[in-house]
Amino acid sequence: MKLDSSSGDILWKVIYESHTIENYFQNHAVKSNGDILFFPNNYDSQNYYIEKLNSSNGEITTMPINGYISTSSLREVKLDNNDNIYITSYTQQTNSNSYYDSQLVKYDSDLNLLWNVTTGGFNNQNSYIKTMEYDNLNDLLYIVGIAKYNTELNPLGSSVLATNNSNQGTYFAAYNSQGILQLANGFET
């Protein structure tokens, strides 16, 4: 429903039965033009699209994701000043049934894949992003996650391994808009 901010009158309302909107409303982003993008919790070869609510008329359309990245669980969606879309998620390692790697994925405003940072490694060298914030002043993405020893945190740049020893530990990291790690600090838990 969209209301007129001055009068409170209903400009439009939409009733729409959609698995994506109904069950995964928390995975959404509001673009600068007011359109709302709804993201499914999982992406795979059968489910690689989002729903877009047009803010001017309430129309809901299905939008394909160009260059989708398969995920097991979408965690967060953030937008930058240019409506580029950042997604954090995790995915099951291809060589393991019980370990996961973190993903930080960037799409442009038209849902074209720009880059994918998958942090993790082999078997117990896994990682998990807990939360993300976009800093529009410095154009950085701040990440708080959990990683095991020797987890690669900078796959698009010079190698940076998680600093915790043999334990799983929390880390704080900052990535620039090209997906390159700018800083990282690990903490033993």
Side-chain angles (χ1 to χ4, degrees):
M1 177 182 321
K2 183 174 182 178
L3 302 174
D4 183 286
S5 62
S6 300
S7 67
D9 293 337
I10 296 174
L11 299 175
W12 53 257
K13 69 178 178 177
V14 175
I15 298 174
Y16 188 72
E17 295 297 324
S18 168
H19 182 71
T20 301
I21 293 174
E22 179 183 326
N23 293 322
Y24 303 113
F25 183 77
Q26 71 273 15
N27 297 321
H28 70 280
V30 181
K31 295 177 71 172
S32 59
N33 66 1
D35 291 351
I36 304 173
L37 305 175
F38 296 93
F39 294 80
N41 193 40
N42 299 302
Y43 293 108
D44 57 33
S45 60
Q46 306 300 312
N47 182 26
Y48 52 95
Y49 62 89
I50 64 160
E51 302 285 343
K52 179 181 92 171
L53 173 67
N54 185 312
S55 64
S56 61
N57 61 15
E59 180 182 0
I60 296 176
T61 55
T62 298
M63 306 283 297
I65 296 175
N66 304 309
Y68 82 96
I69 300 296
S70 178
T71 69
S72 296
S73 182
L74 187 123
R75 301 285 299 161
E76 281 190 276
V77 178
K78 300 286 184 184
L79 297 178
D80 67 14
N81 295 334
N82 297 313
D83 282 345
N84 292 311
I85 302 159
Y86 298 91
I87 295 173
T88 60
S89 64
Y90 62 91
T91 188
Q92 195 166 18
Q93 290 182 354
T94 55
N95 56 358
S96 170
N97 289 331
S98 57
Y99 294 105
Y100 290 87
D101 289 332
S102 292
Q103 293 176 308
L104 176 58
V105 183
K106 181 179 180 180
Y107 295 97
D108 68 15
S109 60
D110 295 321
L111 298 172
N112 295 303
L113 177 66
L114 297 177
W115 48 257
N116 171 30
V117 172
T118 299
T119 60
F122 181 75
N123 288 334
N124 64 352
Q125 298 168 357
N126 57 334
S127 67
Y128 185 75
I129 295 174
K130 300 293 279 178
T131 190
M132 158 182 70
E133 285 299 326
Y134 174 72
D135 174 359
N136 60 1
L137 183 64
N138 296 303
D139 197 23
L140 292 172
L141 287 164
Y142 298 111
I143 302 291
V144 174
I146 297 171
K148 288 264 188 162
Y149 66 99
N150 290 331
T151 297
E152 176 60 63
L153 297 177
N154 196 32
L156 298 182
S158 300
S159 181
V160 176
L161 301 178
T163 57
N164 39 332
N165 297 321
S166 61
N167 298 322
Q168 180 168 293
T170 301
Y171 70 94
F172 173 80
Y175 291 87
N176 68 16
S177 59
Q178 290 77 41
I180 304 297
L181 186 70
Q182 300 300 292
L183 64 94
N185 197 348
F187 310 95
E188 291 287 334
T189 55

